[in-house]
Structures are given as C-alpha cells and as structure tokens.
C-alpha cells in the first residue's frame, strides 16, 4: 500500500510547527519545515531576507529541500509521514509574491502527490512575528488564500483543522486519519 504522505499547511504563524512537534512527541514520523533553515543559511551569507530580495532563489532552495524530504519519506520505516508544508506551498508563496517561475515548479507539484492535506487558518490570537517570520497578520491571511487556491488547483481538498490547543489539533489530525 505504501507510505501515506500527509501535509500540514497554512500561512505563517498558524501553529504548524507546534503540531509537528506534538506529533514527533507521539513518535510519528515528521518532516520539519525547512524555510527557517534556508532563511538562516542566507542570513549567514549576509542576506537578511532571501525571500524578499531573491524570491526565486529562495524558492529553488525550498523546492530542492522539499523534494529531498519527499524522497526520504518514501524510504522511512513508517506507515505515515507528516510534512510541515509541501511542494505546493512553494508555488503558493511565489503566486503570493507575484513572482514568475519556471515550469519545473509546476512539474514538481504535479509529480508530488500527498494522501491528505490539513490546513490551519490564520489565528490572530497565536500569531507573532520573529527574525524569520516577518509577515503581518493581514499578509498571513493573504498567504493562506494562496495556499488554499494552489492546493485546490492541484485537485486537493484541504481539511480545515479547528482552532484549539496543540493537543486537540494534533488529535483532530490523527483522529481524521483514524490513527488513534
């Protein structure tokens, strides 16, 4: 039957990484978000915000990292692997920033399939910015719409994760997948 690949997505600051951490604590296999790593590497190269200054280069690095995660997940000894964002998120952010991109981005999105996509809506009560998350809450709402539109364009129907504690939200995901 193969390994089920599950995306947890949403705009910035919606609680994705907290849910991934909760799933990791429950011994679930997870691929963590790599955009912070790409951002920190660029900062070490002297580029404060790579996505703002060179969105295509940033996105190329993300795409390559997420492709590697997807390939790695296919070899893991687990029935299910959770991803903190998927390949389609890269396209959504490029659309959000109105950045033209080469066709290999769309090809990657077409060739990369997930078994389910869970989406977290912007939640102002938990939203905060930091060194790597610079978007305003209004921008986070716009990004959410682009993510939703992109996954829908590739024939996914993202499942809304209700607001709640991290425990409740991760339990919702697991229950929806009938893992508990």
């Amino acid at each position: 039957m193969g390994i089920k690949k599950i995306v947890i997505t949403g705009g910035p600051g919606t609680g994705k990484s907290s849910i991934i951490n909760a799933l990791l604590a429950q011994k679930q296999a997870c691929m963590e978000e790599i955009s912070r790593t790409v951002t920190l590497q660029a900062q070490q190269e002297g580029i404060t915000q790579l996505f703002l200054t060179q969105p295509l280069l940033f996105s190329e690095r993300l795409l390559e990292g997420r492709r590697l995660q997807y390939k790695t997940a296919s070899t893991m000894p687990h029935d299910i692997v959770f991803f903190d964002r998927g390949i389609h998120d890269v396209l959504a952010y490029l659309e959000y920033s109105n950045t033209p991109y080469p066709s290999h981005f769309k090809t990657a999105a077409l060739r990369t399939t997930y078994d389910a996509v869970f989406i977290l809506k912007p939640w102002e009560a938990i939203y905060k910015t930091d060194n790597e998350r610079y978007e305003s809450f209004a921008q986070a709402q716009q990004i959410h719409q682009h993510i939703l539109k992109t996954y829908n364009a590739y024939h996914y129907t993202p499942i809304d994760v209700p607001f709640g504690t991290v425990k409740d939200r991760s339990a919702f995901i697991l229950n929806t997948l009938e893992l508990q």
Side-chain angles (χ1 to χ4, degrees):
M1 181 160 135
I3 299 167
K4 287 189 179 182
K5 296 175 180 82
I6 310 298
V7 173
I8 299 174
T9 190
T14 54
K16 295 176 302 298
S17 296
S18 296
I19 290 171
I20 289 292
N21 289 334
L23 292 170
L24 283 167
Q26 295 177 53
K27 308 292 187 230
Q28 297 293 330
C30 300
M31 295 292 179
E32 297 182 57
E33 170 59 278
I34 59 172
S35 66
R36 284 185 179 269
T37 303
V38 171
T39 299
L40 291 170
Q41 286 171 344
Q43 288 173 350
Q44 290 173 351
E45 297 167 10
I47 305 168
T48 306
Q49 284 295 345
L50 184 59
F51 181 74
L52 295 178
T53 58
Q54 298 179 59
L56 195 54
L57 176 59
F58 179 84
S59 298
E60 288 281 3
R61 290 180 180 180
L62 275 185
L63 182 64
E64 190 54 38
R66 292 202 177 125
R67 281 174 150 167
L68 181 59
Q69 285 183 327
Y70 190 87
K71 185 177 177 182
T72 301
S74 298
T75 66
M76 295 176 77
H78 296 275
D79 294 333
I80 295 180
V81 177
F82 292 94
F83 294 82
D84 187 337
R85 295 191 180 280
I87 296 241
H88 301 76
D89 289 67
V90 179
L91 281 71
Y93 269 80
L94 286 166
E95 294 288 339
Y96 162 74
S97 68
N98 203 26
T99 302
Y101 50 90
S103 63
H104 70 269
F105 281 87
K106 288 184 179 180
T107 301
L110 286 168
R111 290 183 179 165
T112 307
T113 57
Y114 300 102
D115 295 285
V117 177
F118 288 88
I119 191 163
L120 286 72
K121 295 180 209 162
W123 187 4
E124 198 163 13
I126 66 167
Y127 189 80
K128 58 186 170 196
T129 58
D130 59 26
N131 288 335
E132 292 84 42
R133 183 184 301 130
Y134 53 84
E135 301 94 343
S136 68
F137 184 71
Q139 289 170 314
Q141 292 174 305
Q142 292 171 0
I143 291 167
H144 173 82
Q145 291 305 317
H146 282 278
I147 292 169
L148 195 56
K149 182 179 175 184
T150 300
Y151 277 99
N152 286 331
Y154 286 87
H155 309 291
Y156 290 96
T157 304
I159 301 163
D160 283 317
V161 177
F163 296 144
T165 65
V166 172
K167 182 179 178 182
D168 290 344
R169 295 174 106 191
S170 57
F172 171 83
I173 291 168
L174 293 172
N175 288 335
T176 301
L177 296 170
E178 298 181 34
L179 291 179
Q180 286 188 324

